[in-house]
Amino acid sequence: MLGEVQQLDDFNEDDSDLQSQNTSVDDDSENLQRAVKNTDLADEETTARSLFEDPEVREKVLRITNSEVPLKEPPIPTCPIIEPSTKISKSLYQIQKYINAFEYNHTGQTFFCMKRDRGMKHVTTIAKEIMRDAFPIQCVEGVFLGTYLTAQIKSVTRIPVSFKSEVDGKVYRHIILAVEHKNKWGALGISRRKTLAYKEMKYDSLGDLMKEYKESYEGSWHELLKIYVGLPFSRDSFSSTKLQWRVLKVLLEDRSWEKNSALLNKFSKDCGAFLEYFCYTGELPPAFVASYYDTDHETRKSSLKLGKKGGKLRKTTKN
């Protein structure tokens, strides 16, 4: 199957991606630094447990919680002012710098309640909470920030792209915001690994951008299994129309990259019309089924339709 509609659930999956964060450690925390280096940061729970089991680390944590160690108020990132005359690539870079300023949340627990089955109004509300509270964030919050801050840039198309990868039998999920302007593609986001976050707007197609991410995953010893692409985000920051985060699913292990890249490029050209059709009818057009379903599997006659609850997209298969 080349592509299929995915059911939209809450953000309750393991949204762990990969990124290593440069952590500044002063002289009084050398043991903490040593413990971090000797711990696999891909497993947040194991990291926290291992660190707290160290007597010196536990003592330092208790000193901090008991206010024995004076701590400065963490700085609140300054939101960039995007001028209409600013070059698009520069505006996107300023937004990415702002996202990076929040730093990555390594606790494994999010500080914000984010839902997939909501509209742009929900994204706007949560993005403002993130900006106000200035807590560390993960990849989903990074996409919320990028979506909200690019809403004012009318010439940029924003499309959510999710990844599923595997290493040593463990599955990881990640999400970025693909952006397009005048047939050039880039991405906004945050990750524990820089190569899986921001991408400069220099790629000629969505397929080329995804190839860059695929190679970045391989450079991190991850096997990229699936790529999910949603419909473009509305420019109405207060729309209640439910966002479609995962419409196309690309299974990388089933076909050559050339075929998958062609599929992604085709979808990038069709998704604008799909969004318009969806906004009017609440469902994807028949052309989606005809163009993105694998006709080789004729014995599996499948239909795509909307679920009754919350406008969620789901696939039903007829035997």
Side-chain angles (χ1 to χ4, degrees):
M1 185 184 305
L2 285 176
E4 66 181 39
V5 174
Q6 293 295 298
Q7 182 172 350
L8 304 181
D9 300 319
D10 295 345
F11 286 99
N12 57 3
E13 295 175 302
D14 178 8
D15 284 312
S16 302
D17 40 15
L18 289 177
Q19 181 183 6
S20 61
Q21 181 181 4
N22 294 327
T23 308
S24 60
V25 183
D26 56 23
D27 295 338
D28 191 44
S29 302
E30 292 180 357
N31 194 68
L32 175 61
Q33 184 182 34
R34 183 172 65 253
V36 170
K37 287 183 177 180
N38 294 332
T39 306
D40 180 8
L41 286 180
D43 189 336
E44 310 286 7
E45 184 178 352
T46 301
T47 301
R49 187 186 305 111
S50 299
L51 290 177
F52 204 71
E53 286 176 354
D54 188 296
E56 293 184 36
V57 174
R58 185 165 61 249
E59 179 185 354
K60 287 176 172 46
V61 171
L62 293 176
R63 286 176 57 197
I64 292 174
T65 56
N66 293 332
S67 300
E68 296 179 17
V69 179
L71 296 176
K72 296 180 180 179
E73 284 286 336
I76 296 179
T78 302
C79 184
I81 299 176
I82 307 299
E83 300 289 348
S85 58
T86 304
K87 191 176 179 180
I88 296 298
S89 58
K90 183 177 180 179
S91 296
L92 294 174
Y93 179 69
Q94 290 175 343
I95 292 173
Q96 181 62 47
K97 285 182 63 178
Y98 178 65
I99 294 174
N100 291 343
F102 286 83
E103 299 186 354
Y104 192 85
N105 174 13
H106 288 278
T107 67
Q109 300 293 327
T110 181
F111 299 112
F112 307 96
C113 181
M114 296 167 289
K115 303 290 184 179
R116 272 205 182 106
D117 58 344
R118 305 290 176 86
M120 284 297 298
K121 182 178 180 180
H122 174 69
V123 172
T124 299
T125 300
I126 297 300
K128 290 181 177 179
E129 289 182 8
I130 297 171
M131 296 166 68
R132 179 196 64 206
D133 296 340
F135 291 141
I137 61 175
Q138 293 183 334
C139 56
V140 178
E141 294 96 312
V143 169
F144 272 53
L145 284 174
T147 302
Y148 171 65
L149 294 173
T150 54
Q152 59 183 306
I153 309 178
K154 305 301 182 183
S155 59
V156 171
T157 301
R158 297 90 43 81
I159 300 176
V161 179
S162 304
F163 304 97
K164 180 180 179 180
S165 66
E166 183 180 18
V167 62
D168 293 334
K170 186 171 182 178
V171 172
Y172 292 86
R173 299 182 187 275
H174 181 43
I175 185 171
I176 54 93
L177 182 68
V179 288
E180 181 272 336
H181 174 69
K182 293 185 177 180
N183 296 322
K184 289 295 182 180
W185 290 82
L188 300 174
I190 191 169
S191 168
R192 280 178 286 179
R193 193 169 293 276
K194 291 182 179 180
T195 55
L196 297 179
Y198 171 73
K199 298 294 182 183
E200 185 180 350
M201 185 170 280
K202 63 179 182 180
Y203 300 93
D204 293 329
S205 66
L206 179 60
D208 288 347
L209 177 63
M210 293 300 102
K211 182 180 180 182
E212 169 66 22
Y213 276 104
K214 179 177 179 291
E215 293 174 350
S216 296
Y217 270 103
E218 292 170 351
S220 300
W221 301 282
H222 275 233
E223 180 185 3
L224 186 57
L225 303 177
K226 299 176 184 178
I227 299 176
Y228 303 88
V229 188
L231 292 181
F233 286 147
S234 167
R235 302 192 186 281
D236 182 359
S237 297
F238 299 96
S239 171
S240 296
T241 302
K242 294 176 176 59
L243 300 175
Q244 303 305 313
W245 296 84
R246 294 181 177 183
V247 171
L248 178 69
K249 180 173 75 171
V250 181
L251 304 175
L252 272 66
E253 57 188 353
D254 288 352
R255 289 167 180 79
S256 67
W257 176 252
E258 288 73 19
K259 291 184 178 180
N260 286 326
S261 180
L263 179 70
L264 290 164
N265 292 337
K266 177 177 175 57
F267 183 79
S268 69
K269 294 178 174 62
D270 294 342
C271 62
F274 291 164
L275 174 63
E276 185 176 355
Y277 189 95
F278 179 83
C279 290
Y280 279 105
T281 66
E283 60 184 12
L284 290 171
F288 177 83
V289 181
S291 300
Y292 294 93
Y293 239 62
D294 191 349
T295 55
D296 294 337
H297 296 76
E298 293 182 357
T299 57
R300 297 181 60 189
K301 296 182 178 179
S302 302
S303 64
L304 302 173
K305 66 180 182 179
L306 287 170
K308 295 181 179 179
K309 296 183 179 180
K312 297 179 180 179
L313 290 171
R314 65 184 182 186
K315 179 175 76 70
T316 59
T317 302
K318 297 179 180 179
N319 296 324

